Amino acid sequence: MRIVAGLEETSGGSVFIDGVDVTHTEPGDRDVAMVFQSYALYPHMNVFQNIAFPMRMVGIPKDEIDGSVREAARKVHIDHLLDRKPGQLSGGQQQRVALARAIVRKPCLFLLDEPLSNLDAKAAARKPAAN
């Protein structure tokens, strides 16, 4: 996962994403969203700000950010928590914030490190069955 994300170099071979060789491409230029098992949320920001952060970093207009953040939050069932800080959330809610932050970017590839491990039983029951 770290090699695909560009966080570590390969010792051989190549990395292709969507048919493009990204072996020597910088991590920020790979259009990959990573969700860490540790959430990596900013404790001083509320849920809305945490989800909006990647969009703000690339200069997306504020009105576009608002709609995208609300849509991503709705998809993971946390739209009612947008004003709360991460410390006020359960582990499962924090994990859903991290997922929404990845979803809002609309990357070509998601890399997920045990993304469902901390979701509560009700949320885990909604996850799709493995094929």
Side-chain angles (χ1 to χ4, degrees):
M1 218 168 70
R2 293 180 57 81
I3 291 171
V4 173
L7 303 176
E8 291 183 16
E9 291 186 24
T10 63
S11 58
S14 300
V15 177
F16 285 83
I17 298 176
D18 204 17
V20 177
D21 185 350
V22 296
T23 308
H24 302 290
T25 303
E26 291 294 319
D29 296 330
R30 291 186 182 208
D31 197 19
V32 171
M34 216 169 155
V35 178
F36 298 94
Q37 186 177 6
S38 63
Y39 322 127
L41 301 178
Y42 299 104
H44 63 287
M45 295 181 183
N46 65 25
V47 169
F48 183 97
Q49 293 165 329
N50 265 281
I51 297 170
F53 186 77
M55 297 182 80
R56 284 191 7 239
M57 294 309 298
V58 296
I60 294 178
K62 192 174 183 176
D63 59 334
E64 188 178 328
I65 290 173
D66 185 70
S68 295
V69 167
R70 293 181 190 287
E71 179 185 346
R74 183 185 52 74
K75 286 179 180 178
V76 295
H77 308 283
I78 57 167
D79 45 323
H80 62 291
L81 302 174
L82 292 174
D83 292 328
R84 294 194 189 172
K85 298 271 176 100
Q88 299 173 301
L89 305 175
S90 70
Q93 291 168 330
Q94 289 180 40
Q95 188 67 45
R96 286 186 264 164
V97 173
L99 285 167
R101 186 175 55 202
I103 289 168
V104 80
R105 290 191 48 228
K106 298 179 182 168
C108 71
L109 179 66
F110 290 90
L111 297 174
L112 309 173
D113 183 10
E114 298 190 37
L116 305 178
S117 62
N118 294 305
L119 294 181
D120 55 36
K122 185 177 177 183
R126 285 193 293 257
K127 73 178 182 180
N131 292 334

